[in-house]
Amino acid sequence: MLKKILNQTITGSIWKFLSGSIGAICTLLYFGKNFFEMHIIYSILLGIGILLVCFIIRFLYFLIKEMSIFVHNTYVNSIWGEAIVDLKNAYAEINFLRKQENFSDHEFMSIMITFCDTLKNIFDRKTKADCCVSIKVPTTVENASLETLELRNLCRDSFHHNRDTEKYAKTKHSIIGNTPYRIIVNKILKQNSKNLAYVNNDINSSKDYDNSSKECYPN
């Protein structure tokens, strides 16, 4: 990286302007003498000083630029780069199953759990937390409106099976009883297809946040 920064520092049109020819060098060295009536020695030192200042400024500029790129590629792009690979592999398994003429419920559930595990791993790396991922499906009649739908847990990641308690299974999980679902359904009804998601980074501090799963767990 240092070699690249030095190369960027010493190349460029600015050096051709300041020292690209004998005339340019003489103009720079005699700058103090011609414009400020300085002694020739001080004028030459001033010219050299200008070159050093330009070098330092360019070096710091390219150093900061390259360090920013390094940090971004190491701590940002690497996360999403891995995520793309993980999702590609997960979708490959899903597509393979779709192409089969017949597959068992066990095979289907296995693929869905793998997909949940993939999403969990991605968001664990991103958030530095222990995330839980689940897939829910509607259980109410086919002609029911979105607002009145009830949901049940189809599957969840393999690290949180302990959340599938008897109380959780018996609890009514409705659209209107869960803030995230309610907001997403409202966006669907408003045809806001560009942002069909609910993001909340501090649920505990959110007022009027509804979640039907809260009462199912002690914490």
Side-chain angles (χ1 to χ4, degrees):
M1 180 187 291
L2 183 59
K3 183 179 179 180
K4 181 180 179 181
I5 294 171
L6 286 172
N7 183 62
Q8 291 175 323
T9 301
I10 63 178
T11 57
S13 58
I14 186 173
W15 301 119
K16 293 181 179 179
F17 173 75
L18 293 176
S19 59
S21 65
I22 298 297
I25 294 175
C26 291
T27 299
L28 180 63
L29 296 180
Y30 281 84
F31 178 79
K33 182 178 182 300
N34 294 333
F35 290 92
F36 301 104
E37 298 182 353
M38 297 173 64
H39 189 277
I40 183 62
I41 299 298
Y42 295 116
S43 180
I44 292 174
L45 290 175
L46 176 63
I48 295 173
I50 292 173
L51 289 175
L52 287 175
V53 169
C54 289
F55 178 87
I56 293 172
I57 291 175
R58 284 178 62 82
F59 180 83
L60 291 176
Y61 168 78
F62 289 114
L63 176 63
I64 294 172
K65 179 181 178 181
E66 291 299 321
M67 288 299 296
S68 298
I69 294 173
F70 174 78
V71 171
H72 185 271
N73 290 341
T74 302
Y75 298 103
V76 180
N77 274 359
S78 62
I79 294 175
W80 298 118
E82 291 180 42
I84 291 172
V85 174
D86 291 343
L87 286 174
K88 181 180 179 181
N89 293 334
Y91 280 124
E93 293 191 39
I94 294 173
N95 290 330
F96 175 78
L97 189 66
R98 287 178 56 193
K99 293 178 182 178
Q100 306 304 310
E101 293 185 4
N102 296 294
F103 52 84
S104 65
D105 291 343
H106 175 74
E107 290 175 312
F108 174 75
M109 291 300 295
S110 177
I111 294 296
M112 292 297 99
I113 292 174
T114 298
F115 186 70
C116 289
D117 286 348
T118 299
L119 292 178
K120 170 183 166 51
N121 290 333
I122 291 172
F123 282 100
D124 280 358
R125 292 196 298 264
K126 176 62 178 175
T127 63
K128 307 299 181 184
D130 180 23
C131 299
C132 181
V133 177
S134 63
I135 298 176
K136 293 178 172 57
V137 293
T139 60
T140 43
V141 294
E142 186 174 330
N143 294 327
S145 63
L146 286 174
E147 302 95 318
T148 60
L149 282 178
E150 293 181 20
L151 306 169
R152 73 175 179 86
N153 205 53
L154 176 67
C155 63
R156 69 172 73 247
D157 65 83
S158 57
F159 301 91
H160 292 93
H161 286 313
N162 61 325
R163 296 179 67 87
D164 290 322
T165 63
E166 181 178 355
K167 187 174 183 179
Y168 180 85
K170 291 181 178 180
T171 300
K172 179 180 177 181
H173 302 285
S174 63
I175 293 294
I176 60 174
N178 288 271
T179 299
Y181 302 150
R182 190 166 63 242
I183 290 178
I184 291 173
V185 166
N186 188 47
K187 291 178 179 180
I188 293 175
L189 295 176
K190 291 182 178 179
Q191 298 182 342
N192 183 13
S193 59
K194 294 183 179 180
N195 186 25
L196 294 181
Y198 174 79
V199 178
N200 189 329
N201 294 320
D202 192 3
I203 289 176
N204 292 330
S205 300
S206 301
K207 296 181 179 180
D208 302 324
Y209 178 83
D210 296 322
N211 189 300
S212 57
S213 299
K214 280 184 176 180
E215 61 189 56
C216 301
Y217 309 110
N219 296 322

